[in-house]
């Protein structure tokens, strides 16, 4: 069953009628609904194209959070072979929100780090809805160090509303862990390709997204805080999240124009959840092109270019 967002009601109405007609034809073979189904499918497609051609930032936020949107596990299965996840930070415990390990990308050995939100109640609880605790970022640091030691390109996939803000996480050094993970991104001498596949929220995202090349899916978002959080701070009213989303410049188009990201990966009409295989394949092509572009640079060049990239962002903003 497809989950429709509130602004997709015209699409849901049309697709609901299509489903009813197909069900009716299946129950009674004497009834031919093919012509009407065809007309409704055309109208539904036109409605989807029209709606998705003019999404506002709040609607893009809803698409980025869509429960059926492909998550890290889907990209890991579609892009990598021999993926071997590593567990634990060697200090406290294992964090399931951060998934990290070694794999092959189109035959090339790589290190992979990403956030996993889960796709049902059980898995969402297991992965803490993609909000990592300090041990998750320390696990990421451990994998980054390993990638640096063995000269493995690093691919990171970002999808989190933010790091976990619980008391236990703060007691175990959440801010310090995020800062050290960001520092490690800046220091490694291997190429880092980062892709925001859903939400890129706050320091929880930047901790693994400080890459040589940063890309966003067309309907993903990337921000210093969630729209609801910004509205609560600015106006003490989380219901003004729509207004905050517009003012915060969180969409891929906004961030590309500001020079924060390097490129936008197009999504199928209706969002990545409408055709996950297509968007995963496009993401793989972008990653492959970026790795090929940086293949001739030595470690010092890669580290210097990455540091300069973020210094330049600070100068322009």
């Amino acid at each position: 069953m497809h989950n429709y967002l509130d602004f997709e009601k015209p699409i849901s109405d049309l697709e609901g009628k299509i489903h009813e007609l197909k069900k009716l034809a299946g129950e009674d073979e004497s009834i031919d609904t093919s012509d009407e189904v065809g007309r409704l499918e055309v109208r539904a497609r036109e409605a989807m194209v029209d709606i998705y051609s003019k999404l506002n930032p709040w609607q893009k936020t809803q698409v980025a959070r869509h429960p059926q949107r492909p998550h890290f596990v889907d990209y890991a299965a579609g892009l990598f072979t021999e993926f071997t996840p590593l567990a634990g930070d060697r200090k406290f415990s294992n964090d399931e929100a951060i998934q990290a390990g070694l794999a092959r990308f189109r035959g090339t050995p790589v290190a992979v780090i990403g956030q996993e939100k889960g796709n049902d109640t059980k898995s969402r609880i297991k992965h803490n809805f993609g909000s990592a605790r300090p041990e998750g970022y320390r696990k990421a640091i451990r994998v980054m160090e390993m990638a640096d030691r063995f000269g493995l390109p690093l691919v990171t996939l970002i999808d989190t509303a933010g790091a976990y803000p619980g008391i236990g996480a703060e007691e175990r050094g959440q801010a310090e862990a995020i800062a050290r993970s960001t520092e490690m991104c800046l220091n490694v001498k291997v190429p880092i390709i980062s892709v925001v596949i859903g939400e890129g929220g706050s320091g929880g995202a930047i901790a693994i997204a400080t890459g040589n090349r940063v890309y966003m899916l067309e309907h993903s978002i990337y921000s210093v805080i969630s729209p609801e959080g910004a509205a609560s701070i600015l106006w003490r009213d989380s219901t003004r999240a729509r207004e905050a989303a517009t003012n915060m410049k969180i969409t891929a188009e906004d961030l590309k124009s500001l020079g924060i990201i390097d490129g936008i990966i197009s999504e199928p009409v209706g969002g990545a959840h409408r055709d996950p295989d297509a968007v995963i394949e496009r993401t793989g092509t972008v990653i492959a092109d970026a790795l090929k572009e940086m293949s001739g640079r030595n470690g010092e060049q890669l580290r210097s270019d990455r540091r300069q990239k973020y210094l330049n962002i600070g100068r322009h903003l």
Side-chain angles (χ1 to χ4, degrees), residues 158-196:
I158 295 89
D159 188 14
T160 181
Y164 182 61
I167 293 175
E170 297 297 340
E171 289 175 339
R172 295 194 300 277
Q174 182 72 287
E176 183 264 356
I178 290 172
R180 289 195 179 277
S181 183
T182 307
E183 179 186 37
M184 182 58 66
C185 284
L186 289 169
N187 284 335
V188 297
K189 297 180 180 180
V190 295
I192 303 178
I193 311 301
S194 302
V195 183
V196 181

Side-chain angles (χ1 to χ4, degrees), residues 137-270:
Y137 294 107
R138 292 178 179 130
K139 174 168 64 174
I141 292 169
R142 176 183 158 222
V143 173
M144 290 180 204
E145 289 174 338
M146 188 179 297
D148 195 36
R149 187 178 307 123
F150 294 105
L152 301 176
L154 181 60
V155 178
T156 68
L157 302 174
I158 295 89
D159 188 14
T160 181
Y164 182 61
I167 293 175
E170 297 297 340
E171 289 175 339
R172 295 194 300 277
Q174 182 72 287
E176 183 264 356
I178 290 172
R180 289 195 179 277
S181 183
T182 307
E183 179 186 37
M184 182 58 66
C185 284
L186 289 169
N187 284 335
V188 297
K189 297 180 180 180
V190 295
I192 303 178
I193 311 301
S194 302
V195 183
V196 181
I197 59 174
E199 287 185 273
S202 191
I206 197 68
I208 63 170
T210 311
N212 294 85
R213 296 290 181 272
V214 181
Y215 302 96
M216 289 177 66
L217 265 62
E218 182 181 358
H219 301 312
S220 60
I221 60 170
Y222 193 17
S223 61
V224 70
I225 191 173
S226 70
E228 294 89 344
S232 295
I233 292 172
L234 293 174
W235 302 297
R236 300 184 183 278
D237 182 2
S238 62
T239 62
R240 296 178 67 177
R242 180 190 301 266
E243 184 179 348
T246 301
N247 292 327
M248 289 167 62
K249 306 297 183 186
I250 62 177
T251 68
E253 292 82 1
D254 289 330
L255 295 169
K256 179 67 168 63
S257 68
L258 292 170
I260 305 296
I261 64 170
D262 300 287
I264 299 172
I265 301 170
S266 64
E267 297 187 28
V269 176

